[in-house]
Each structure stands twice: as C-alpha cells, then as structure tokens.
Amino acid sequence: MSLSYALLGLLSGDRPMNGYAIKALFDEAISHVWQAKLSQIYRELDALEAKGLLVSSIEEQRDRPSKRLYRATEEGKKAFLDWLGSVPESYASPKRDEFMLRLFFGSLAGPELVAREFRGFLGHMREHRASFENLHSHLAERFPGDPAMERADRICREDRYCEFIRRRAVLLAEASIAWAEECLAELEAEGDGRA
Amino acid sequence: MSLSYALLGLLSGDRPMNGYAIKALFDEAISHVWQAKLSQIYRELDALEAKGLLVSSIEEQRDRPSKRLYRATEEGKKAFLDWLGSVPESYASPKRDEFMLRLFFGSLAGPELVAREFRGFLGHMREHRASFENLHSHLAERFPGDPAMERADRICREDRYCEFIRRRAVLLAEASIAWAEECLAELEAEGDGRA
DNA sequence: GGGTATTAGTCAACATGTTGGATAGTGGTT
DNA sequence: AACCACTATCCAACATGTTGACTAATACCC
C-alpha cells in the first residue's frame, strides 16, 4: 500500500531520517494528503527493512536519546520509482466521513441538531482554511541541525507540486465552507419561520 | 465506530433489511459518504446482534436463497439516537489520497508523468461529476417488492439532507476539476515551451 | 528535589478494512 | 451440457490503523 511508498520516497533522498522526524514531517507537510501514526510508521519501517528495501544505522547523540536513521537501498529506490511510474489503481480515495454520515440521517435528527453540526463543521473548516494562509512549516526549527528536515522544509516552501497540493486544499475548503453556509442559511431561514 | 451506527440507523426504521440489500444501499446511496465491503457489513451485523442492538429472523423465498432480516431493538434505536445527538469527536475525515501522495513526489516523477496522472484524475472526476447529473438510484428496480428498498429509493430522491450531500459532492468535484485543469495547463504550457 | 515536557523508540492488544474462497440455488448464454 | 452471472450468507486470513503503555535521557520550571 501507499504508506510504504511514502516512506521509501522520503528515504530515497541522500539524507537519512529517523522515525520520529518522519512523523513530524507527515504531520506538518503531508497530513492533509496522507496520515499515519507513529507506531504505524515504526512498524512499516521494520517491515521494509526486513524486505531489504531500507537499511538503518544508529546515531548516538550527546544530549538526546540516540536515533535510528533509515535510508533506502538501491532496491528500495527502485521499488519506489516503479510505484511512482505505475498507473494508480484508482483516483478515488476511500470515503469515510462521519459528519456526512450524520447528515445522511438528518431527518431522524431534526433541523436544530443538524444546524448545530453545520456550525461545528464550519468552525472546523474555517480554521482549516486559515491554517493554510499563515502556514510555513516549522520543521527546521524543531529539528535544528538536521539536514533532512531543513531540506524538507525548503521543498515544502518551494516545490511546485507542494504548491499544487496546497492550492487544492484551499479550494476544497472554500467550496465546503460556501456549501455549508448555504445549507445552514436554508435551515435557519426555516427555523425562524417556524419558531 | 461509525459503520455500526450507520447500520443501526438504517435498521431503526420499521422495515427490516438483509445484509445484501444493505450493501446495495451503501453502494448506491452512501458510497461517497461511507464505504463498506459486504464481509464487513455481515461481520458488523453479527457483532451488533451479539450485543443485543439488533435481532434477526430468516425469511424463506421461493425462487432465491433465504435471507436474514435484521431490525434494531429498542436498545439499538436508543444507541443510534444517542450517537446522533452526541457531538462528533472531529469534523475532519481521515485523509488517504494516493493521487495526492504521488503528486507530492512530483519532482521525482517529472512533469510528463505528473501530467499523465492529472489526465487520469480529470477523467475520473468528470465521470464522477456526471454520475450525479443523470443519477437516480435503481434500488427499487433491483429489489422489486422489497418495501425497505422502495422507501430508501424514495428518501434518496426526496430527502433534503440527501440533497445537501449530493450538492456538496457536485461542488467538490467541480472544484477539483477546475484545480486539475489549471495545474495541467501550467504543466503543459511549460512542456510546450521546452519540447 | 519533584513534576512535567520533549525527544526517541518499542510493544501488545485491539479495531477496522480487504481479499478471496466456500456454499447454494436460479436463470441465462454459448 | 458447461459456464457464467446474480442473489445470498458466511468465514478465515491478512493488512492496516488506533490506543495506550513502557522505557530512557535531558531540560525546564517551581
């Protein structure tokens, strides 16, 4: 699946990374594209190393716990590039949206409850949109002296594809906000008329 | 989690349903909100019955395999309504988008490959959008004589919240299409200039 | 000196999702 | 007659994702 390719991709560069830093990178840069928990990342790194697609080495640090640095083997890089060049099975991402499911049962909940949920959703989406406007990743600050993190930070700021991704996130957030405002207005107009 | 509440919600009405029909309902009406495989649905129905939230009965059919009809118990209905009235933990749905992940590694893939993926994505999204324009669910046709399916069909057509959901799906699809067209145009403009 | 936060990694258990096959009758196609 | 598609249920195995706990060192605050 894709998580392993994401890891291989991140570790295909010349700068090795440890699990903890990868998690930070996921959270700051990839979280609206792909999410993963720390324990999942570690497990996956283990599995990839067992398959010979990654190798790891321990780096001792003076003032901190020592860390295990991973890098892709030649085989790992090849596996990643093969995946990148392959045709994706599907362009549809799996849908599992609790808010929408609740909305589906809206008639059983009643308009007031639904309106409340819409307000919560709007709050969330507005925050979400704002988070793109004033965001630059803090990876370099959080991992001072880590070349992999400095590079990642720079890429997130400069890379055109990262910019594409950011633009889409903003557009989708705006579409969702406009939609929710319209639905809420409809619900409230009716509520006023009745109550 | 939410799948069990989705099932309880569907089975809280006065019309019992069997697993196969529930799967069809998921596919036709809820698929862009929540997806589930047949085996998962059966397993979940089992678990809910074991907890006393559902009861089942076998209905023999002349010309077809007999089916197991589920309906919610009073306890099940209560559990569903409690969930519906509760505040959702999060309005963010888990993100796991393969296409976006590939795009994140765009610089490693190169503009031609990325452009190809964008074309695939556009094809998918245009189909997706079109599927809302000429769609009315065929549940009643597929399950002739099944009152639960006739009702579900009608609700999907008439219910305002289903209409909200449909509208959002269309808006998001349109935003994605506009975004992808713009990105693709940028990539192609550059490709022409160089090639 | 004690509590808490941060950095770093590991593990067990559980929850959820996916794949594929077994079973079984009906109806239609080649 | 052989094969496939549809309706229907169930199960085992595996893959993936989530939660929470545990270890350990350092730093920072009170």
Side-chain angles (χ1 to χ4, degrees):
Chain A
M1 37 78 237
S2 299
L3 174 57
S4 46
Y5 295 110
L7 294 174
L8 287 174
L10 293 178
L11 297 168
S12 279
D14 46 351
R15 266 150 282 204
M17 277 190 260
N18 60 320
Y20 195 79
I22 291 173
K23 169 59 173 164
L25 183 51
F26 261 84
D27 287 347
E28 291 232 18
I30 326 185
S31 65
H32 54 280
V33 160
W34 203 278
Q35 290 165 245
K37 304 268 165 177
L38 238 191
S39 59
Q40 210 187 335
I41 290 171
Y42 282 124
R43 188 214 263 155
E44 207 59 44
L45 289 171
D46 265 10
L48 290 170
E49 192 171 22
K51 279 188 211 162
L53 303 178
L54 293 179
V55 280
S56 70
S57 57
I58 302 283
E59 192 190 88
E60 308 279 340
Q61 296 181 105
R62 283 137 299 138
D63 51 343
R64 290 175 185 193
S66 53
K67 54 189 182 180
R68 178 180 293 273
L69 292 173
Y70 289 89
R71 74 193 72 213
T73 61
E74 284 313 307
E75 225 188 314
K77 290 179 193 178
K78 193 181 169 308
F80 170 70
L81 290 172
D82 284 351
W83 171 76
L84 201 55
S86 72
V87 179
E89 313 112 52
S90 160
Y91 288 96
S93 62
K95 271 152 189 52
R96 220 155 275 133
D97 192 322
E98 190 184 331
F99 170 57
M100 286 298 131
L101 185 62
R102 282 164 179 273
L103 188 55
F104 180 76
F105 290 114
S107 351
L108 299 178
E112 292 81 17
L113 245 177
V114 175
R116 199 187 72 191
E117 295 233 8
F118 264 112
R119 280 180 215 111
F121 177 74
L122 268 170
H124 166 77
M125 289 309 290
R126 286 184 183 130
E127 240 181 77
H128 181 66
R129 182 187 49 182
S131 79
F132 288 108
E133 271 148 25
N134 45 8
L135 180 81
H136 286 287
S137 91
H138 316 281
L139 289 172
E141 297 164 39
R142 280 186 59 195
F143 296 85
D146 187 330
M149 290 298 108
E150 276 164 28
R151 177 158 137 277
D153 228 11
R154 194 167 33 72
I155 287 176
C156 287
R157 257 177 288 113
E158 293 168 17
D159 187 86
R160 68 184 311 177
Y161 302 104
C162 286
E163 171 61 18
F164 284 174
I165 291 172
R166 228 202 76 248
R167 243 146 68 179
R168 179 169 190 244
V170 172
L171 286 173
L172 291 186
E174 276 164 2
S176 269
I177 289 169
W179 166 79
E181 280 169 349
E182 204 187 297
C183 292
L184 188 55
E186 263 185 54
L187 288 174
E188 280 172 343
E190 206 172 273
D192 290 346
R194 279 209 250 151
Chain B
M1 37 80 238
S2 298
L3 174 58
S4 46
Y5 294 109
L7 294 173
L8 287 174
L10 293 177
L11 298 168
S12 280
D14 45 350
R15 265 149 282 204
M17 277 191 261
N18 60 320
Y20 193 80
I22 291 172
K23 168 62 173 162
L25 182 52
F26 262 84
D27 289 347
E28 291 230 16
I30 326 187
S31 65
H32 52 281
V33 160
W34 204 277
Q35 288 165 249
K37 304 266 165 178
L38 239 189
S39 60
Q40 210 188 334
I41 290 171
Y42 281 123
R43 187 214 263 154
E44 207 57 46
L45 289 171
D46 264 11
L48 290 170
E49 191 172 21
K51 280 188 209 161
L53 302 178
L54 293 179
V55 279
S56 71
S57 57
I58 303 283
E59 192 190 271
E60 308 278 340
Q61 296 181 107
R62 281 138 298 138
D63 50 343
R64 290 175 185 193
S66 52
K67 55 189 183 180
R68 179 180 295 272
L69 293 174
Y70 289 89
R71 75 194 72 215
T73 60
E74 284 313 307
E75 226 188 313
K77 290 178 194 178
K78 192 181 169 309
F80 169 70
L81 290 173
D82 284 352
W83 171 76
L84 201 56
S86 71
V87 179
E89 314 110 52
S90 159
Y91 288 97
S93 62
K95 268 148 189 53
R96 219 156 277 134
D97 191 322
E98 190 184 332
F99 171 58
M100 288 297 131
L101 185 63
R102 284 163 177 272
L103 188 55
F104 180 78
F105 291 113
S107 347
L108 300 177
E112 292 81 17
L113 245 177
V114 175
R116 199 187 72 192
E117 294 232 9
F118 264 112
R119 280 180 215 110
F121 177 73
L122 269 170
H124 166 77
M125 289 310 289
R126 286 183 183 132
E127 240 180 77
H128 181 67
R129 182 186 48 182
S131 78
F132 288 108
E133 271 147 26
N134 46 8
L135 180 80
H136 286 285
S137 91
H138 316 281
L139 289 172
E141 295 164 42
R142 280 186 60 194
F143 296 85
D146 187 330
M149 290 298 107
E150 277 164 27
R151 177 159 138 275
D153 228 12
R154 193 167 34 74
I155 288 176
C156 288
R157 257 177 288 113
E158 294 167 17
D159 187 86
R160 69 185 309 178
Y161 302 104
C162 286
E163 171 61 19
F164 283 173
I165 291 171
R166 229 202 74 248
R167 242 146 70 179
R168 178 169 189 244
V170 172
L171 287 172
L172 291 186
E174 276 164 2
S176 269
I177 290 170
W179 165 79
E181 279 169 348
E182 205 188 295
C183 292
L184 187 56
E186 263 185 53
L187 288 174
E188 280 172 344
E190 203 172 275
D192 289 347
R194 278 208 252 152

